Amino acid sequence: MINILFDVDDTLYDQLIPFKDAYHEVFDQYQYNCSIELLFVKSRYYSDEVFELVNAGKMTKTDMHIYRISKAFESLGIQIKREDAFLFQSIYESNQKKIVLHPEMKEVLHFAKCLGINMGVITNGPTSHQESKIAQLLLTNWIKEENIFISGKVGISKPSQKIFSYVQEKMGIIPENSYYIGDSYMNDVVGAKKAGWKSIWVNRRNHPISNEMEYNPDYIMDAFNSPTSILKKILIKNSIKL
């Protein structure tokens, strides 16, 4: 039997939607000439850059939130006020309380559950913040609560191999039969591959794919390959009847 585990942010739901709505509410007044999607991608990059500092208590979550959006704007040649960065984060967090599953992800969750496939979640972030997203997305309709692992609660975060090993032990699964679906190349693809898992990269933002990548995903979810079609390929490859 195969195991399918999911990332949460920008994998199970489209994180650009609450980001874009917050941008319009705070920054439209300035009429900045920039791509909101590019700003979002850069914000995620700067968030990952300081994530371990927050975990280690060397940076507050508030400072991290202000840093990532300020640096994202700065990389596009725009300086923003600290109070605008703070307001943006406040509205962004509020918008995340309205998130919904991406339709393709809802479809694959239902498909996998109907087939009795073992599923789980591994997500980076503070416990209460990630738990509220998990509740909003109603994930326990498809995934057992004991199979949901949050870095803030576990004390280990992706891309460390240790969190994948921890999940293996808790779920009683083996790497060879385990597939991890996530949007971050470094956290999700590299993390899973280093742990010996198979990787499904959610490349919704059309990140460049290079033949020189140290770790290649086993499958790529993009405009041409839906998660359900990829899962069907995996099932056929593993001689599992649909």
Side-chain angles (χ1 to χ4, degrees):
M1 177 58 71
I2 65 169
N3 312 287
I4 304 287
L5 287 92
F6 299 83
D7 170 48
V8 173
D9 295 307
D10 215 32
T11 296
L12 286 172
Y13 74 97
D14 188 344
Q15 199 171 11
L16 179 60
I17 294 172
F19 183 96
K20 187 180 290 186
D21 289 345
Y23 176 96
H24 288 312
E25 193 163 342
V26 178
F27 298 113
D28 269 3
Q29 61 180 314
Y30 301 115
Q31 298 183 327
Y32 293 137
N33 182 23
C34 69
S35 162
I36 300 176
E37 184 165 359
L38 179 58
L39 185 73
F40 168 75
V41 170
K42 288 181 174 291
S43 174
R44 292 291 305 278
Y45 170 82
Y46 288 114
S47 181
D48 288 343
E49 182 183 68
V50 296
F51 182 76
E52 289 304 327
L53 291 178
V54 177
N55 276 351
K58 296 179 180 179
M59 176 183 273
T60 67
K61 285 190 290 183
T62 298
D63 284 342
M64 182 268 282
H65 293 151
I66 291 171
Y67 172 83
R68 67 185 182 186
I69 190 63
S70 298
K71 286 291 289 183
F73 269 111
E74 186 181 318
S75 71
L76 299 177
I78 300 169
Q79 299 292 328
I80 64 170
K81 294 182 287 187
R82 182 180 175 87
E83 53 265 36
D84 281 343
F86 185 84
L87 177 60
F88 169 83
Q89 177 61 31
S90 176
I91 295 170
Y92 181 40
E93 283 188 20
S94 178
N95 289 346
Q96 286 183 323
K97 295 175 183 176
K98 307 168 192 173
I99 57 175
V100 296
L101 282 169
H102 191 287
E104 289 186 332
M105 289 300 178
K106 188 172 185 178
E107 179 185 57
V108 78
L109 284 166
H110 182 70
F111 181 66
K113 184 176 181 179
C114 287
L115 291 174
I117 291 173
N118 196 25
M119 292 187 286
V121 163
I122 307 175
T123 178
N124 278 358
T127 304
S128 60
H129 190 47
Q130 296 308 98
E131 282 180 341
S132 68
K133 295 175 191 173
I134 288 162
Q136 175 64 26
L137 295 172
L138 304 175
L139 288 186
T140 52
N141 285 349
W142 297 275
I143 298 171
K144 296 176 183 176
E145 190 171 348
E146 59 265 31
N147 289 350
I148 296 175
F149 303 91
I150 301 171
S151 68
K153 183 181 288 186
V154 174
I156 318 165
S157 57
K158 300 176 296 180
S160 172
Q161 296 175 55
K162 292 180 180 179
I163 194 166
F164 291 93
S165 298
Y166 176 87
V167 170
Q168 286 169 208
E169 182 180 344
K170 291 295 182 181
M171 290 182 64
I173 60 179
I174 59 174
E176 293 79 8
N177 294 341
S178 301
Y179 293 78
Y180 188 66
I181 303 177
D183 70 293
S184 168
Y185 174 76
M186 182 55 65
N187 286 342
D188 302 330
V189 176
V190 174
K193 296 295 284 185
K194 278 189 173 182
W197 292 36
K198 305 290 194 305
S199 166
I200 302 171
W201 188 22
V202 181
N203 192 17
R204 198 174 283 134
R205 307 298 161 211
N206 297 314
H207 296 294
I209 299 168
S210 169
N211 292 328
E212 297 179 2
M213 285 178 168
E214 185 178 1
Y215 294 92
N216 292 313
D218 296 276
Y219 299 91
I220 298 175
M221 193 198 108
D222 53 23
F224 306 101
N225 297 282
S226 73
T228 300
S229 68
I230 290 171
L231 179 53
K232 287 178 179 178
K233 291 176 185 176
I234 292 169
L235 294 173
I236 291 169
K237 186 176 181 180
N238 286 272
S239 301
I240 299 172
K241 291 183 179 180
L242 301 180

